[in-house]
Amino acid sequence: MNTLRFTLTPAALAAALLVATTASSTAFAQQAEPKADENIATVVVTASADASAQGLPAAYAGGQVARGGRLGLLGNVDIMDTPFNSTNYTHALIQDQQARSVGDVVQNDPSVRVARGFGNYQELYMIRGFAVGSDDTAYNGLYGLLPRQFVATELMERVEVLRGAHSFINGAAPAGGSIGGSINILPKRAPNQELSEVTVGVETGGQGYGAIDLGRRFGEEGRAGVRVNVAHRNGDTAVDREERELSVYSIGVDYRGRGYRLSADVGAQDHQLTNARPSVDLAAELPMIAAPDSRHNFAQPWTVSNERHTFGTVRAEIDLGENAVAWAAAGLRNGQEFNILAGIDVNAVNGDATMSRFDNIRKDQVRTGEVGVRGELRTGAVKHTLSASASGFHSKSRNAFGMSDFAGFASNLYTPRDVAPPPPDAWPSGGDMNNPLVTGKSILSSLAIADTMSFMDDKVLVNVGLRHQRIKDYGYRNDTGLERDGYEESENTPFAAIVYKLRKDVSVYANYSEGLQRGPEASGVGIVNSGTKFAPYVSRQREAGVKYDSGRYGLTAAVFTTSQPSAYVENNVFGVYGEQRNRGVELSVFGTPVRGLKVLGGLTLLDAEQRITEGGKNQGKDAIGVPQTQLNIGADWDVPGVDGLSVNARTVYTSKQYADGANLQKLPSWTRLDLGATYNTRFMDRDLTLRARVDNVTDKNYWASAGGYPGAGYLVLAAPRSVVVSATVGF
């Protein structure tokens, strides 16, 4: 009976939310329509985030999402002209929710759930049921520049989520993700008005936070701008014994010339975890076990995870005439990671487990860039927007690792035992931790062309395009540096879409798109073909949707189906054996349906099926780690009679999911409630903003996700109730 209740509730709630929102436009029509002397609140375009004449798309009513976002070589496109389902989260939302990372921001998205990388603490984003790693997150349109495992919000102005396979738009992601969608981070730029803000805060566990955000414009008409951000977090988290230290620095500069625009960014992030709680591997023969207390920590006290990254980008755009523009961009990143880890393998329903030590060091060097041109012309009654671009990406990784005895040491998930750190034994192919050799190189290059044709006074938009992508991927031995395997493959990824504006406020669209995915690399404990690289493969997507824009609130609906070759482990051999098909329905709502009330949320229904499996034994069963129902309902309310005070609430529901391909290990559904408040006032003639937030208000214990890495069903325990308060002062 309980299962039935939780299964039906999300759909009912989502339907009620969407119906109520639509009804509010009629029931409150007199209140919703602006008076002659009253304007709907919007955000004025004050700076360009990408050195473009288009500038930063304006925020939608309510300020939580933007009216448009970046579509690769097509540039910034309004949501009603976009032949995809996308959401672009603003800096205002990031601030008011006191989000720490990309993962915190996309918790607002009903099509996204946050998981974790394989054997580490990397944020992993499941978009439409497909994994997108944080190292496949783009920065101002370029892949591979941001820190690999965790991206702090101090580096971002906006978070753009584009759903669906779209290798034509951005090219193949270097780490093999972006089949279900992609995430693009927009950097900060100096606004036209002087910006000087200092923020201090504290959260559960005693972790302190401090940040400085400065922005200035200089010279004639304020053409030159500088934006500086510095932030530091340090202390215990809400998880017992877990510690986190984060330092972030970034400088963004831009210049708005006559007929050209320039921008550049330099950033650094140092992220250190001590005693961080690991993921949980559950023996295949066991049923699903109960989640421990969410504050509980089963990490060994000597475990650490440290990463340091520095990066820089430059971008330029020049006008070639009234309706044509050319651009160029380039970026570099150097990264270093060092880990002493101890995973936990549970082998009994009472929580008995074994743990073993795994050390590794990784160094990355990334170079990336693109050039392009875009222009307009007419052929009779048809307006063409023609785009062409070329991109390149080069990465080199150095890796070495050491492991303790495979037998490990005994522990228990519910009553863990601390032990002295066992020595990491020399491993035959682990390499030298003091001098890691090059173990991988990836070289990606592509050429793309596109034509957006406009008919009937822009009521019909037809998009066609093609990207030719070449991928070179090489692997080398950890111990000798000799080439182990590799490949060079190329593929053409076409794109076709249509947008039809039934009315000024209603658009329908359909698209066919493909995702080119770099082949996976076999890895994991006990894998006999560890290190083997697999050739890239193509995923195919079909999608259709409708969008409604009232000016105050928006509604979207989409249906889609995507098929992808799938990789998993059979008899300790990693391989690309089968096919997975994800299809589903997405509903979303955003904006201000009633004065003083902002809404943001939606519903995603997913059917992720293993269509082809080895020997057919799991054929027709659900894919690992993909819930059937994902529901988000968020609201922000301006409290009447208290000027400057608003309160907000968000409910996140995720239905059951499986941790194994046989669908025998089922994670129960879970619902999380988050509450917050923001108060804007003046204090000693200064702007003061006070914020408070409580995540997981009811302090529920649950398994938040299963897997993410192909064929693996490791479990991640949910974060406990966490309270964070902060104060921001403007000078």
Side-chain angles (χ1 to χ4, degrees), residues 708-727:
Y709 189 80
Y714 48 91
L715 307 175
V716 177
L717 186 61
R721 179 169 52 223
S722 177
V723 180
V724 54
V725 295
S726 68

Side-chain angles (χ1 to χ4, degrees), residues 507-584:
S507 289
V508 294
Y509 72 91
N511 70 57
Y512 171 80
S513 185
E514 294 184 355
L516 180 61
Q517 187 171 7
R518 198 185 84 176
E521 178 177 344
S523 65
V525 177
I527 303 301
V528 298
N529 62 336
S530 180
T532 300
K533 290 181 177 292
F534 291 84
Y537 43 73
V538 174
S539 298
R540 294 173 173 82
Q541 171 192 282
R542 295 168 180 83
E543 178 180 341
V546 59
K547 301 177 183 181
Y548 172 69
D549 175 15
S550 74
R552 284 192 175 273
Y553 68 90
L555 302 170
T556 69
V559 294
F560 63 88
T561 179
T562 306
S563 59
Q564 176 200 38
S566 59
Y568 47 86
V569 177
E570 288 286 350
N571 299 320
N572 295 326
V573 177
F574 184 96
V576 181
Y577 300 121
E579 179 182 282
Q580 177 179 327
R581 183 196 63 194
N582 290 16
R583 56 185 179 181

Side-chain angles (χ1 to χ4, degrees), residues 31-42:
Q31 182 180 8
E33 288 296 324
K35 299 177 182 177
D37 59 348
E38 178 181 283
N39 294 319
I40 296 174
T42 59

